[in-house]
Amino acid sequence: MSTIPDFDVTLNEQPVPAAERERILADPGWGRYFTDHMVTIQYDAERGWHDARLRPYGPIALDPASQVLHYAQELFEGLKAYRQDDGSIVTFRPFMNAARMNRSARRMAMPEIPEELFVAALEQLVRVDRDWVPTADGYSLYLRPFMFATTRALGVNQPAQEFTFAVIASPSGLYYKNGIKPVTVWLSQDYTRAAAGGTGEAKTGGNYAASFAGQAQAVANGCDQVVWLDAVEHRWVEEVGSMNLMFVYGSGAQARLLTPALTGTLLPGVTRDSMLKLAPDLGIPAEEGKISIEEWQAGCESGQISEVFGCGTAAIISPVGAVKSADREWTIGAEPGPVSMRLREELVGIQYGTRPDPYGWVHKIV
Ligand SMILES: *Cc1c(COP(=O)(O)O)cnc(C)c1O
């Protein structure tokens, strides 16, 4: 039996005119423009998921006592739709995002959404707004599914009963407009992103709200992004900004990849998982482990660590060129490294259909 309800479709009678849309798609930036439509699906304890709609993009009316506004019961996802050379439009591993949203939902005491319904919502939106998927090389349509508690109640002793799931879409250009340039990162020793038993592995807005002060501190210290360390010893490296971190030990035929293991405080990235699978196929052994800031610094100084990069859907990879903190500072490299770029090329090739897709990760929509 299908769990997918019919979407009630109301088309936007005033879509962005084609010429204006083309102008936006020529230089969309990131997260600044939105397509003509959105999806919303309602949930309540009695009816489950219902009232699935595709409708014009626009404001959502909320009761001022909605729980999300007071207690941040919210979660989100992020993935992209890519236009391939043959004109088809695809997404990448959308069922992995669906499964992750449901893991986030369990942690945040929110309802799970059937994976098929999650993917159907993406498909609905991308089909109707297909002209918003850019054609330029490396551009894409960023998809943002999210869910929030709409129960009208200030009491917290009763779990929320009503929720809205929505999907919006935003055209996205190249993350690095002028070529990929390594960033400088700040080791945050004052702030923590996540502690054991907390919400670090859930993709929830509260983790971001808690990170903005650390990011501001990084910028105040002349850095681009903040590196999050473990909450107990402030030594073990966890993530960079909103990306997972990868360390390349050795080089050439000896190169191997290490990424911090998923201890419960890290967000399990789809990009991270994909790199862990692709690297060995390219002859680069990959493992999950533990790395301290002392090991990171010593490894760079001895030359044992040759490249470091963040990875996530938005940037794909973001090389780290230098590291700073209140009491130490070291460099890695002024140019993106060959292993970082090789992995990036492989992943992007699969997403845009210019390389074989050995794991069946590409999901065709149109
Ligand atoms: C979303 C996110 C990532 C990257 O996940 P991808 O699925 O690869 O985009 C990493 N860290 C944090 C904190 C995130 O929110």
Side-chain angles (χ1 to χ4, degrees):
M1 195 187 82
S2 169
T3 50
I4 305 175
D6 283 335
F7 283 72
D8 180 55
V9 174
T10 310
L11 293 181
N12 193 334
E13 286 176 5
Q14 288 172 309
V16 173
E20 168 73 1
R21 187 183 64 231
E22 291 311 317
R23 205 182 51 73
I24 292 169
L25 294 185
D27 184 19
W30 201 85
R32 287 194 288 139
Y33 300 99
F34 298 92
T35 64
D36 295 315
H37 298 89
M38 61 196 272
V39 163
T40 55
I41 312 177
Q42 308 304 324
Y43 177 93
D44 66 37
E46 232 165 71
R47 285 176 289 180
W49 292 105
H50 63 280
D51 197 9
R53 293 183 188 208
L54 179 105
R55 53 167 161 173
Y57 182 93
I60 294 174
L62 283 181
D63 190 288
S66 294
Q67 293 218 334
V68 63
L69 298 177
H70 304 272
Y71 309 123
Q73 200 179 12
E74 186 272 355
L75 45 86
F76 69 98
E77 270 302 324
L79 71 166
K80 288 170 167 175
Y82 308 88
R83 194 182 287 275
Q84 299 198 329
D85 281 349
D86 66 0
S88 51
I89 297 171
V90 306
T91 51
F92 184 72
R93 308 185 75 181
F95 285 94
M96 201 165 174
N97 293 89
R100 185 170 70 188
M101 183 170 244
N102 284 336
R103 285 199 305 277
S104 299
R106 289 196 286 276
R107 177 62 184 85
M108 299 299 291
M110 296 170 74
E112 295 182 38
I113 182 161
E115 291 182 8
E116 297 73 22
L117 180 54
F118 176 98
V119 174
L122 303 176
E123 290 174 345
Q124 277 284 334
L125 184 58
V126 172
R127 274 200 203 103
V128 172
D129 282 336
R130 71 179 75 176
D131 291 343
W132 283 92
V133 184
T135 49
D137 223 17
Y139 287 31
S140 56
L141 182 65
Y142 182 79
L143 306 174
R144 169 54 63 90
F146 57 110
M147 193 199 294
F148 51 91
T150 52
T151 302
R152 179 177 180 264
L154 295 183
V156 289
N157 296 332
Q158 287 288 321
Q161 303 284 316
E162 287 158 40
F163 298 85
T164 297
F165 169 83
V167 189
I168 55 175
S170 173
S172 111
L174 295 179
Y175 194 84
Y176 291 97
K177 259 191 175 175
N178 305 307
I180 300 176
K181 285 276 173 287
V183 296
T184 301
V185 297
W186 175 254
L187 299 180
S188 181
Q189 283 159 320
D190 295 337
Y191 298 111
T192 316
R193 194 189 82 91
T199 56
E201 66 184 353
K203 209 165 172 77
T204 180
N207 291 338
Y208 279 70
S211 76
F212 293 148
Q215 175 62 25
Q217 199 181 51
V219 170
N221 283 282
C223 297
D224 303 291
Q225 304 233 339
V226 56
V227 167
W228 300 108
L229 303 172
D230 76 287
V232 179
E233 296 180 67
H234 295 283
R235 303 184 42 212
W236 303 101
V237 177
E238 301 206 325
E239 296 199 63
V240 59
S242 53
M243 285 181 272
N244 294 115
L245 261 172
M246 298 267 169
F247 295 83
V248 180
Y249 283 77
S251 58
Q254 261 63 56
R256 62 187 176 85
L257 201 62
L258 174 102
T259 191
L262 301 176
T263 53
T265 52
L266 281 72
L267 199 286
V270 174
T271 318
R272 174 189 181 281
D273 185 81
S274 305
M275 298 239 167
L276 284 175
K277 291 201 170 67
L278 290 178
D281 298 347
L282 303 176
I284 305 162
E287 59 175 316
E288 304 177 69
K290 227 177 153 180
I291 176 167
S292 67
I293 49 178
E294 293 84 6
E295 286 161 352
W296 182 357
Q297 180 172 11
C300 290
E301 288 172 354
S302 72
Q304 213 195 351
I305 294 177
S306 57
E307 302 173 34
V308 179
F309 60 96
C311 68
T313 297
I316 313 163
I317 66 144
S318 174
V320 176
V323 187
K324 278 192 201 173
S325 71
D327 56 4
R328 52 178 92 216
E329 196 168 330
W330 71 92
T331 56
I332 301 156
E335 294 300 327
V339 174
S340 317
M341 293 308 281
R342 180 70 190 86
L343 283 165
R344 178 185 188 283
E345 183 187 306
E346 192 65 25
L347 186 58
V348 170
I350 295 173
Q351 291 168 337
Y352 287 90
T354 56
R355 282 187 193 275
D357 173 20
Y359 300 103
W361 285 341
V362 162
H363 178 86
K364 183 168 168 165
I365 296 183
V366 184

